[in-house]
């Protein structure tokens, strides 16, 4: 059975965000650990986030590190002791060595991609919590997300992602087909350009782990190697 380390995006409310996916993985016999990161604490940044993830990994080996959104900047900085056996990026920012999250937006053209996608769909380009993040999340789950929402501190957005190269382990990119923050076509392009990886589409928007947890968990389990007979 696999051990999944689940890293949240900006704000860091992992237990709320990953709850349904973690339950689905556990139901199939796997261990799933959402990593709580105090993303609203301005005293903490990318190095501290990576250290918190490493602490969650502990002495375990061959873990599957799953990172959402801004968590993509933590993923290559964690597991430096070789404990990570596989990385999965879900609607994630994919950094280059030394890049900051603020630089990433301009370098990849994420804003232009979002504006174009909004225009094509006839949506306003103004940020709206429901329209951008919660549009496909069931009503019964929205209250938990809103209650657990943390205003992300600005600290990590100006910090470089300090790694030399992505770890030499299997890396998978999972993309919500209806992501309105990072449109699917944009994510597919960035995955090809930066990782030479073909992304896999799953149903849902930026918070696909909340709106389609069974599909997200199913794809995570599909990435696992088939046990030898």
């Amino acid at each position: 059975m696999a051990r999944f380390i689940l890293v949240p995006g900006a704000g860091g409310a992992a237990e709320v965000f990953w709850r349904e996916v973690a339950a689905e993985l556990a139901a199939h016999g796997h261990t799933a650990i959402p990593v709580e990161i105090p993303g609203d604490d301005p005293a903490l940044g990318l190095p501290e986030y990576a250290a918190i993830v490493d602490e969650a990994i502990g002495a375990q080996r061959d873990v599957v590190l799953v990172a959402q959104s801004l968590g993509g900047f933590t993923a290559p900085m964690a597991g430096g002791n070789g404990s990570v056996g596989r990385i999965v990026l879900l609607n994630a920012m994919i950094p280059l060595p030394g890049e900051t999250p603020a630089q990433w937006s301009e370098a990849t053209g994420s804003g232009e991609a979002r504006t174009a996608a909004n225009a094509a769909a006839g949506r306003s380009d103004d940020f709206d919590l429901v329209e951008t993040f919660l549009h496909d999340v069931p009503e019964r789950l929205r209250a938990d997300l809103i209650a657990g929402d943390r205003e992300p501190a600005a600290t990590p957005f100006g910090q470089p992602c300090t790694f030399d190269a992505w770890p030499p382990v299997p890396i998978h990119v999972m993309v919500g087909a209806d992501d309105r923050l990072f449109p699917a076509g944009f994510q597919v392009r960035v995955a090809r350009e930066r990782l030479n990886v073909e992304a896999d589409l799953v149903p849902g928007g930026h918070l696909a782990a909340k709106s389609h947890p069974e599909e997200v968990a199913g794809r995570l389990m599909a990435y696992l190697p088939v046990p030898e007979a």
Side-chain angles (χ1 to χ4, degrees), residues 5 15 30 44 56 63 69 73 111-112 134-135 138 144 161 170 177 196 201 204 228:
I5 303 295
E15 195 280 329
H30 302 290
L44 305 181
V63 304
S69 198
F73 268 77
E112 293 88 342
L134 303 177
H135 57 94
D144 273 354
C161 193
N196 194 30
L201 293 181
E228 295 183 5

Side-chain angles (χ1 to χ4, degrees), residues 22-133:
E24 187 70 18
L25 293 172
H28 286 81
H30 302 290
T31 299
I33 302 175
V35 182
E36 287 296 337
I37 294 177
D40 56 346
D41 186 345
L44 305 181
L46 295 180
E48 290 77 20
Y49 295 178
I52 291 170
V53 172
D54 284 339
E55 183 176 359
I57 295 172
Q60 297 296 318
R61 310 293 294 181
D62 202 32
V63 304
V64 182
L65 183 62
V66 186
Q68 151 79 9
S69 198
L70 180 64
F73 268 77
T74 301
M77 294 177 61
N81 60 354
S83 56
V84 174
R86 188 174 301 266
I87 294 173
V88 181
L89 303 172
L90 172 60
N91 291 329
M93 302 166 77
I94 301 174
L96 297 175
E99 190 172 47
T100 70
Q103 292 169 337
W104 179 91
S105 298
E106 182 176 353
T108 59
S110 68
E112 293 88 342
R114 182 164 55 254
T115 295
N118 285 335
R123 293 190 297 267
S124 168
D125 205 34
D126 295 333
F127 175 80
D128 180 88
L129 178 65
V130 173
E131 289 301 315
T132 304
F133 289 132

Side-chain angles (χ1 to χ4, degrees), residues 150-170:
R150 301 170 182 165
E151 183 65 28
T155 306
F157 290 90
Q159 294 180 322
C161 193
T162 53
F163 71 110
D164 296 324
W166 283 88
V169 300

Side-chain angles (χ1 to χ4, degrees), residues 137-161:
V137 176
E139 288 282 351
R140 61 185 175 80
L141 299 179
R142 291 185 182 185
D144 273 354
L145 281 171
I146 293 172
D149 185 51
R150 301 170 182 165
E151 183 65 28
T155 306
F157 290 90
Q159 294 180 322
C161 193

